[in-house]
């Protein structure tokens, strides 16, 4: 068994300092991903800093939007009155993820940080550049059914497993982090990264930084009526997405004033469909409009041996989610 030190600080600055002192230190929040990885021997920390007593749980309105503390649980966020009323896409996406028990434990910060569910990442006997840089990628020639369509590299074709992240990127959220050099804000779209030559890095957070909150902008509240989160998975509960789509439309007089569209299960990061969003703007709400948007969204997609089916599944999911969000059909 790996021996580790366990700390439970009361102040954010103390938690950050403990991280700076030893690079093999991990923050523990809900533990729904980290504890699994520790049990499997994938992560062997020297020090575990339990951050659950830090004052990072609040959900509150600000002058620019809605502040969500990094330690707010997924359940609290999904059921929060302001979020259900003004950012319902986020509630739908969170409730599509995991199980009620996991959502009670999992936190917003932890959801941002969760690792891929590529099976080779968890199998210590297989090569995996994400787990062990330079060892190779077993998924490239392996069973790559769950893997990426967009933005992959010859080093890694894994996908980000989160549902929450898909809605967050569609809503233009901002991630607030704190480190020894002070606080900074990162656009949600820039928080997760593509694998490139360094798939060992999932995101742009520095090793000595802590996520303190996520902010939803007030501008996203115009997308509070016509929304849908469609998640296609192998079973109806407690499974990761093969493909998911977060769709939000601002519609006036049957015309699309604005669109927010993002996909999950298709890339190393939540995949925002900005070109399709631009196409949708000003168009009428018709099935044909949505079919054209899906064609645009799929440009550049590349499948591997076992995930060819996603090339058909993904555009169909986009069309269906837009039809449901717009009210053309019911869920
Ligand atoms: Fe590892 Fe990424 Fe390859 Fe999976 S796809 S085996 S996570 S390098």
């Amino acid at each position: 068994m790996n021996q580790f030190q366990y700390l439970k600080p009361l102040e954010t600055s103390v938690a950050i300092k403990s991280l700076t002192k030893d690079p093999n230190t991990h923050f523990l929040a809900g533990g729904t991903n980290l504890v699994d990885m520790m049990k499997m021997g994938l992560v062997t920390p020297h020090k575990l800093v339990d951050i659950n007593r830090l004052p990072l749980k609040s959900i509150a309105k600000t002058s620019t939007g809605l502040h969500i503390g990094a330690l707010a649980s997924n359940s609290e966020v999904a059921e929060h009155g302001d979020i259900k009323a003004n950012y319902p896409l986020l509630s739908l996406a969170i409730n599509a993820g995991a199980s009620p028990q996991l959502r009670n434990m999992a936190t917003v910060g932890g959801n941002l940080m969760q690792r891929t569910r590529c099976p080779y990442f968890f199998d210590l006997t297989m090569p995996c550049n994400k787990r062990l840089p330079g060892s190779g990628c077993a998924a490239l020639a392996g069973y790559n059914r769950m893997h990426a369509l967009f933005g992959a590299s010859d080093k890694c074709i894994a996908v980000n497993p989160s549902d929450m992240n898909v809605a967050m990127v569609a809503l233009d959220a901002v991630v607030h982090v704190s480190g020894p050099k002070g606080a900074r804000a990162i656009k949600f779209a820039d928080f997760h990264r593509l694998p490139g030559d360094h798939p060992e890095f999932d995101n742009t957070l520095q090793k000595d930084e802590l996520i303190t909150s996520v902010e939803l902008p007030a501008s996203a509240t115009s997308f509070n009526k016509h929304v849908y989160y469609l998640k296609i998975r192998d079973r109806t509960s407690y499974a990761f997405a093969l493909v998911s789509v977060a769709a939000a439309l601002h519609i006036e007089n049957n015309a699309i004033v604005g669109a927010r569209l993002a996909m999950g299960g298709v890339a190393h990061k939540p995949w925002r469909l900005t070109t399709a969003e631009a196409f949708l703007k000003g168009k009428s709400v018709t099935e044909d409009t949505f079919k054209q948007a899906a064609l645009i969204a799929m440009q550049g997609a590349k499948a591997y041996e076992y995930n060819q089916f996603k090339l058909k599944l993904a555009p169909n999911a986009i069309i269906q989610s837009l039809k449901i969000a717009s009210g053309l059909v019911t869920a």
Side-chain angles (χ1 to χ4, degrees):
M1 185 190 155
N2 176 53
Q3 301 278 339
F4 58 85
Q5 244 188 308
Y6 176 80
L7 309 175
K8 203 164 182 181
L10 291 168
E11 289 170 33
T12 305
S13 58
V14 176
I16 291 168
K17 254 186 214 146
S18 55
L19 197 64
T20 321
K21 281 184 194 148
D22 182 345
N24 198 5
T25 298
H26 287 258
F27 287 134
L28 174 70
T32 57
N33 192 199
L34 179 63
V35 173
D36 281 350
M37 291 194 292
M38 287 174 66
K39 285 183 194 163
M40 290 173 176
L42 217 75
V43 178
T44 51
H46 294 156
K47 202 188 283 176
L48 218 48
V49 181
D50 185 332
I51 56 174
N52 283 294
R53 289 201 292 188
L54 302 184
L56 302 174
K57 280 192 169 70
S58 66
I59 301 175
K61 267 193 176 152
T62 65
S63 55
T64 51
L66 192 75
H67 159 108
I68 304 173
L71 287 174
S73 75
N74 282 187
S75 307
E76 285 162 350
V77 175
E79 298 308 320
H80 193 273
D82 271 343
I83 292 171
K84 282 168 87 171
N86 296 316
Y87 307 96
L89 186 63
L90 183 58
S91 287
L92 291 172
I94 290 175
N95 281 330
S99 63
Q101 291 87 348
L102 282 167
R103 293 195 293 272
N104 286 342
M105 287 303 294
T107 63
V108 165
N111 204 325
L112 263 90
M113 295 299 289
Q114 66 173 309
R115 311 289 322 257
T116 185
R117 263 51 176 199
C118 170
Y120 302 109
F121 176 69
F122 288 92
D123 184 344
L124 299 180
T125 67
M126 299 299 284
C128 171
N129 288 321
K130 186 178 279 298
R131 175 172 28 82
L132 189 63
S135 61
C137 171
L140 276 171
Y143 191 50
N144 41 38
R145 181 171 178 273
M146 297 293 288
H147 291 72
L149 294 181
F150 298 99
S153 74
D154 61 356
K155 300 287 191 295
C156 180
I157 59 172
V159 299
N160 185 288
S162 166
D163 293 296
M164 183 197 82
N165 291 345
V166 186
M168 287 281 197
V169 79
L171 294 170
D172 270 343
V174 174
V175 185
H176 292 276
V177 307
S178 222
K181 291 181 196 150
R184 68 184 177 114
I186 308 168
K187 282 185 190 168
F188 205 93
D190 297 333
F191 184 82
H192 297 95
R193 56 183 296 284
L194 292 177
D197 287 336
H198 291 284
E200 68 272 26
F201 300 120
D202 292 344
N203 53 60
T204 55
L205 191 72
Q206 298 301 303
K207 274 196 160 182
D208 52 6
E209 288 179 321
L210 171 70
I211 299 169
T212 52
S213 68
V214 176
E215 191 171 6
L216 297 173
S219 56
T221 58
S222 57
F223 296 95
N224 69 342
K225 282 195 181 73
H226 302 283
V227 300
Y228 198 65
Y229 186 75
L230 179 62
K231 181 174 180 178
I232 314 282
R233 48 190 155 175
D234 285 327
R235 53 174 193 258
T236 51
S237 158
Y238 193 34
F240 294 97
L242 293 164
V243 167
S244 67
V245 181
L249 297 169
H250 178 186
I251 298 172
E252 283 178 16
N253 303 321
N254 205 43
I256 299 167
V257 178
R260 297 290 178 86
L261 210 49
M263 270 199 281
V266 296
H268 199 257
K269 61 190 288 183
W271 196 246
R272 180 95 179 253
L273 306 172
T274 47
T275 318
E277 288 177 5
F279 167 80
L280 286 165
K281 196 171 176 181
K283 301 286 188 311
S284 301
V285 173
T286 68
E287 183 165 355
D288 189 54
T289 299
F290 298 152
K291 282 182 177 168
Q292 289 182 59
L295 273 180
I296 290 167
M298 292 303 294
Q299 283 168 7
K302 179 190 166 195
Y304 298 85
E305 185 174 2
Y306 292 100
N307 70 348
Q308 297 281 332
F309 71 99
K310 285 193 184 184
L311 291 175
K312 203 166 177 184
L313 184 65
N316 284 342
I318 293 170
I319 295 163
Q320 186 67 4
S321 61
L322 286 167
K323 282 167 70 176
I324 297 170
S326 65
L328 275 186
V329 298
T330 49

Coordinates of all heavy atoms in Angstrom, one line a residue, residues 2 24 47 160 206 216 254 296 310:
N2 N 0.5 2.2 -0.8 CA 1.2 3.5 -0.8 C 0.9 4.3 0.4 O -0.3 4.6 0.7 CB 0.8 4.3 -2.1 CG 1.4 5.6 -2.2 OD1 2.6 5.7 -2.1 ND2 0.5 6.6 -2.4
N24 N 4.2 16.0 -5.7 CA 3.4 14.8 -5.8 C 2.3 14.9 -4.7 O 2.0 14.0 -3.9 CB 4.2 13.6 -5.6 CG 3.4 12.3 -6.0 OD1 2.3 12.4 -6.5 ND2 4.0 11.2 -5.8
K47 N 1.2 13.2 -0.6 CA 0.4 14.0 0.3 C -1.0 14.2 -0.3 O -1.1 14.4 -1.5 CB 1.1 15.3 0.5 CG 0.7 16.1 1.7 CD 1.2 17.5 1.7 CE 2.7 17.6 2.0 NZ 3.2 19.0 1.9
N160 N -12.6 13.6 -23.2 CA -13.0 14.1 -21.9 C -14.4 13.5 -21.5 O -15.3 13.5 -22.3 CB -13.1 15.6 -22.0 CG -13.4 16.2 -20.6 OD1 -14.5 16.1 -20.1 ND2 -12.4 16.9 -20.1
Q206 N -2.0 25.2 -13.8 CA -0.6 25.0 -13.4 C -0.6 24.0 -12.2 O -1.5 24.0 -11.4 CB 0.1 26.3 -13.0 CG 0.2 27.3 -14.2 CD 1.0 26.7 -15.4 OE1 2.1 26.3 -15.2 NE2 0.3 26.7 -16.6
L216 N -20.7 31.7 -14.4 CA -21.6 31.7 -15.6 C -21.9 33.1 -15.9 O -22.4 33.8 -15.1 CB -22.9 30.9 -15.3 CG -22.7 29.4 -15.0 CD1 -24.0 28.8 -14.6 CD2 -22.1 28.6 -16.2
N254 N -39.9 32.4 -34.6 CA -39.4 31.3 -35.4 C -38.0 31.6 -36.1 O -37.6 30.8 -36.9 CB -40.4 30.9 -36.5 CG -40.2 29.5 -36.9 OD1 -40.1 28.6 -36.0 ND2 -40.3 29.2 -38.2
I296 N -22.1 20.9 -41.1 CA -21.0 21.9 -40.9 C -20.2 21.5 -39.6 O -19.0 21.5 -39.6 CB -21.6 23.3 -40.7 CG1 -22.1 23.8 -42.0 CG2 -20.6 24.3 -40.1 CD1 -23.0 25.0 -42.0
K310 N -19.7 6.5 -34.9 CA -19.9 7.9 -34.3 C -20.1 8.9 -35.4 O -20.6 10.0 -35.2 CB -18.8 8.3 -33.4 CG -18.8 7.6 -32.0 CD -17.8 8.4 -31.1 CE -17.6 7.8 -29.8 NZ -16.7 8.5 -28.9

